[in-house]
């Protein structure tokens, strides 16, 4: 009988093989699905903003201005004014916000289904919306990347962005960024702002009660603000404290003690709300549209790395406030010659009282500082400083300039005429050289205002800004190369990208004057300080080159002076153009009060040596006839210069050509009247005239080792 052999186990082998195959196929399919899902997620992620740049976030329309050394000068717009790091964010503040806004913050991945359910149940029980369902991650995504529209599309984007934030950032990073940007009412953005605005504290100084109050603000900042509704603020604080106790962050006794604490508010304006250099900040905003597109300005979130030196700015404001006495106003600008960078700008004595920037906006008679262009033109035409002219009383087509005190000194060299600000020599040079050449020189040095062809032009008849006049002098200090003044070193966009750079996009300078001519002009201006009208600006340890300017009646007091590294212009006067009853000596004192302390940190440098040139100018024998424009109130433009000194004896005298026949539209002298001054841009609301300062005898300059004291009342002309 045949017996069947027992089963050996080989029969099921095909079944095992099939199972392994199916497993492999399933694994492959699963892997493919996973890969597809990952690819889908990655593809979707690519359509969303990169969360890693969130630390550069600034709200649209914001502007942050930094000083040359990186200090915050001003933050403008709804901008987060102070940011903390995860390491510096106080745990108490973190706990308060987690309890108030997102108790399961550390358990969810951006979206919290449990929190949504809990909020729905609580709100249904209370019959009102007491608790929201948005996580802190969602709120951060909405604040930074989205609008506040309540639409389904926005909600879907918010959820997707929340997931991406959770994948790209750590929980501490997400929480810190949220606490830095959340709006907390009363112009406070972020907990650092809120701590300061409500309690004048830093975040680490907040008590439990104070931290809970701030943490209760996000749902309705304007409603729960303790500055608006203190009772509602206290009720909201109690809710936050209860949630902190339920979450285990505080004990019942701590909760009760904090609930019983009074508000104890100590309000303050947000940090950086006020500018540390307000006139400079206003100029930055004025200049931004000249270098950025409207689209870039609209997006906002800009950071300007500016040129201002805050230590110098403080000294500049102090100098102006010290010497703009008796209700006067003043302006000061300091320009770095080689770069055009504005290192300091003051446009008035008090920005809160008047935002009108007298440095960049006011048009004032520059007085004899305008003589720079006349004498510079003479040098360019081949005259040398040693050329001799006759200083005497005379008229030019009906215009009769006068020297100060009606004194005339006969034969004087051109350099002596400049250092003593002799008006007749300046106007005579203008006639000899011609209006067109002088106007061309001025325009080459950045003077953009239309300049009239009349003889008072030589004495500053056409009003200019302090910025433009100082920039012209800076070009001479820069070897004759004009660089347009700028407050910008770099401008960065919202993501930190470089939008504009002075080194690449800024004015690189242009040749306006021959370098030898510029050096010769500097030598003459140095003489004007060492031996002439600018003596009050002399510094004991280094050379100074500059020129004074005083319009008729002492309405405008100027001094523009340079050391090799810096050119600074000062103006003093009244907004309504009434007389100061003083001279430009006061302006030299203000200039020195600024320059003396700041120059101590600068190395002593010398101006270029006087070049050895040959006088090649030949006197014009006959001039072409052309119409000369009449000058309005021409007799106003009489420079009040101090008495000449050190008049160099000369062997020969340059004789002015005989005055030609009266031109087609003769200029007739106008009677001196206080009314109808030349057009001047002034603030919208001029201050009421103050009492005229008392007349006191002039005070000689004090020792150079220390800045002179302020003049309680400006002295009258000697």
């Amino acid at each position: 009988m045949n017996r069947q052999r027992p089963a050996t186990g080989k029969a099921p082998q095909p079944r095992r093989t099939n199972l392994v195959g199916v497993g492999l196929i399933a694994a492959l399919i699963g892997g493919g699905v996973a890969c597809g899902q990952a690819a889908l997620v990655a593809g979707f992620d690519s359509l969303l903003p990169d969360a890693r740049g969130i630390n550069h976030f600034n709200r649209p329309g914001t502007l942050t201005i930094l000083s040359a050394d990186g200090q915050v000068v001003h933050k403008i717009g709804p901008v987060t004014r102070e940011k903390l790091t995860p390491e510096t964010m106080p745990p108490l503040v973190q706990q308060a916000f987690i309890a108030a806004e997102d108790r399961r913050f550390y358990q969810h991945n951006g979206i919290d289904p449990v929190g949504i359910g809990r909020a729905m149940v609580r709100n249904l029980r209370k019959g009102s919306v007491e608790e929201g369902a948005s996580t802190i991650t969602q709120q951060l995504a909405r604040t930074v990347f989205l609008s506040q529209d309540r639409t389904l599309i926005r909600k879907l984007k918010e959820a997707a962005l929340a997931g991406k934030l959770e994948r790209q950032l750590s929980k501490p990073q997400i929480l810190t960024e949220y606490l830095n940007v959340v709006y907390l009412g009363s112009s406070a953005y972020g907990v650092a702002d809120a701590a300061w605005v409500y309690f004048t504290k830093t975040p680490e100084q907040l008590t439990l009660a104070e931290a809970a109050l701030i943490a209760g603000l996000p749902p309705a900042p304007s409603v729960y603000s303790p500055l608006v509704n203190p009772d509602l603020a206290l009720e909201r604080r109690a809710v936050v404290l209860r949630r902190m106790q339920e979450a285990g962050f505080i004990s019942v006794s701590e909760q009760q003690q904090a609930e019983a604490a009074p508000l104890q508010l100590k309000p303050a304006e947000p940090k950086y709300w006020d500018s540390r250099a307000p006139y400079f900040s206003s100029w930055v905003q004025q200049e931004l549209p000249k270098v950025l597109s409207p689209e870039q300005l609209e997006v906002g979130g800009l950071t300007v790395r500016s040129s201002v030196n805050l230590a110098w700015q403080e000294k500049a404001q102090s100098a102006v406030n010290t010497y703009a006495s008796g209700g006067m106003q003043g302006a000061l600008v300091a320009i770095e010659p080689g770069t055009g960078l504005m290192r300091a700008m003051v446009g008035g004595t008090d920005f809160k009282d008047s935002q009108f920037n007298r440095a960049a906006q006011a048009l004032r008679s520059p007085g004899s500082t305008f003589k720079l262009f006349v004498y510079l033109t003479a040098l360019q035409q081949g005259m040398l400083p040693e050329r001799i002219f006759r200083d005497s009383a005379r008229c030019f087509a009906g215009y009769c300039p006068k020297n100060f005190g009606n004194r005339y000194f006969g034969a004087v060299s051109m350099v002596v005429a400049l250092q003593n600000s002799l008006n007749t020599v300046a106007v005579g040079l203008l006639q000899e050289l011609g209006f067109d050449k002088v106007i061309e020189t001025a325009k080459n040095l950045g003077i953009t205002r239309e300049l009239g062809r009349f003889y008072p032009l030589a004495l500053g008849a056409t009003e200019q800004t302090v910025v433009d006049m100082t920039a012209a002098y800076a070009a001479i200090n820069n070897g004759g190369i004009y660089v347009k003044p700028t407050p910008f070193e770099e401008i960065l966009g919202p993501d930190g990208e470089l939008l504009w750079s002075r080194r690449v996009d800024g004015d690189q300078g242009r040749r306006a004057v021959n370098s030898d001519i510029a050096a010769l002009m500097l030598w003459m201006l140095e003489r004007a300080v060492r031996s002439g009208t600018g003596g009050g600006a002399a510094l004991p340890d280094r050379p100074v080159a500059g020129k004074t300017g005083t319009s008729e009646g002492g309405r405008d007091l100027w001094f523009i002076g340079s050391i090799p590294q810096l050119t600074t212009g000062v103006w003093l006067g009244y907004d309504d153009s009434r007389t100061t009853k003083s001279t430009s000596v006061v302006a030299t004192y203000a200039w020195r009060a600024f320059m003396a302390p700041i120059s101590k940190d600068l190395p002593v440098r010398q101006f270029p040596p006087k070049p050895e040139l040959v006088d090649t100018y030949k006197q014009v024998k006959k001039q072409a006839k052309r119409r000369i424009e009449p000058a309005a109130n021409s007799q106003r433009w009489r420079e009040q210069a101090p008495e000449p000194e050190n008049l160099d004896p000369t062997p020969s005298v340059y004789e002015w050509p005989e005055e030609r026949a009266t031109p087609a539209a003769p200029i007739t002298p106008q009677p001196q009247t206080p009314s109808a001054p030349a057009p001047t841009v002034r603030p919208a609301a001029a201050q009421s005239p103050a009492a005229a300062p008392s007349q006191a005898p002039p005070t000689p300059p004090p020792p150079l080792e220390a800045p002179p004291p302020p003049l309680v009342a400006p002295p009258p002309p000697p």
Side-chain angles (χ1 to χ4, degrees), residues 291-486:
V291 298
L292 295 183
S293 68
E295 293 76 17
Q296 290 172 318
L297 293 172
E298 184 178 355
V299 170
L302 304 174
T303 298
V304 172
R305 294 179 179 171
S306 79
S307 57
V308 71
N309 183 314
L310 286 177
W312 293 7
Q313 180 70 24
E314 183 179 345
K315 298 293 185 183
Q317 190 69 68
S318 176
V320 168
N321 288 5
T322 298
Y323 287 94
S325 57
M328 292 169 57
Q329 284 291 344
L332 184 151
V333 298
I335 300 175
E336 190 175 273
T339 62
L341 292 171
M342 188 72 67
R343 296 305 188 186
M345 171 180 277
V346 173
T349 56
D350 189 346
F351 186 79
K352 292 183 177 180
D353 182 62
S354 171
Q355 290 77 54
F356 183 68
N357 191 340
R358 296 159 187 82
Q361 296 175 292
L363 294 171
R364 307 299 298 227
S365 165
S368 284
T369 61
F370 196 88
K371 291 175 182 176
L372 170 79
F373 308 115
V374 178
Y375 283 91
L376 195 59
T377 304
L379 297 177
Q380 291 177 308
Q381 296 304 307
M383 296 186 186
L384 289 185
E386 293 77 17
R387 180 175 281 251
I388 306 304
F389 299 91
R390 183 172 298 281
D391 176 41
S392 60
R394 64 190 304 269
C395 296
F396 302 83
Y399 174 65
C400 306
K402 296 181 179 180
N403 292 340
F404 176 78
N406 245 351
R407 299 181 64 187
Y408 305 91
F409 300 91
V412 296
S413 65
M414 189 164 70
V415 63
V416 170
L418 176 66
Q419 74 185 39
N420 293 285
S421 207
L422 303 181
N423 291 334
T424 56
V425 176
V427 178
L429 274 171
L430 175 61
Q431 183 196 53
E432 171 68 17
L433 298 166
F435 297 107
D436 290 342
K437 286 186 173 62
V438 174
I439 291 172
E440 182 183 6
T441 297
K443 290 187 177 298
N444 286 341
L445 289 168
I447 301 300
T448 58
R449 292 204 73 217
E450 191 65 28
L451 300 175
R453 292 174 171 81
F454 45 77
Y455 290 117
L457 175 69
L459 309 184
T462 303
E463 288 106 341
Q464 305 295 332
T465 67
V466 180
V467 170
D468 286 349
M469 289 298 299
T470 306
Y473 275 73
I476 304 304
N477 195 17
N478 192 34
I481 297 176
Y482 175 84
V483 183
K484 183 178 176 63
T486 181

Side-chain angles (χ1 to χ4, degrees), residues 70-126:
Q71 300 182 62
V72 176
V73 177
H74 197 192
K75 290 192 174 185
I76 302 164
V79 63
T80 300
R81 294 173 173 84
E82 187 173 354
K83 290 186 177 182
L84 301 181
T85 64
E87 295 75 26
T88 58
M89 187 67 70
L92 183 64
V93 173
Q94 299 181 48
Q95 293 167 357
F97 275 87
I98 288 173
E101 296 294 312
D102 190 359
R103 190 180 303 177
R104 284 176 35 84
F105 173 72
Y106 285 103
Q107 284 75 52
H108 64 68
N109 294 317
I111 305 294
D112 185 16
V114 176
I116 294 173
R118 184 184 66 248
M120 290 178 63
V121 171
R122 183 183 291 271
N123 293 336
L124 286 172
R125 287 177 177 175
K126 295 292 184 179

Side-chain angles (χ1 to χ4, degrees), residues 50 543 665:
D50 190 349

Side-chain angles (χ1 to χ4, degrees), residues 464-529:
Q464 305 295 332
T465 67
V466 180
V467 170
D468 286 349
M469 289 298 299
T470 306
Y473 275 73
I476 304 304
N477 195 17
N478 192 34
I481 297 176
Y482 175 84
V483 183
K484 183 178 176 63
T486 181
F488 308 123
E489 189 66 75
E490 290 181 342
I491 304 174
L492 306 178
D495 298 324
E497 73 275 21
L498 184 64
L499 301 181
W500 188 93
S501 170
R502 179 187 60 81
R503 291 173 175 81
V504 177
D505 308 297
D507 184 12
Q508 304 303 307
R510 54 177 173 79
R511 174 65 63 184
V513 177
N514 176 276
S515 59
D516 282 343
I517 299 300
L520 201 57
M521 192 73 238
L522 276 175
W523 178 82
M524 292 176 66
L525 292 172
E526 190 178 357
R527 287 282 300 267
V529 174

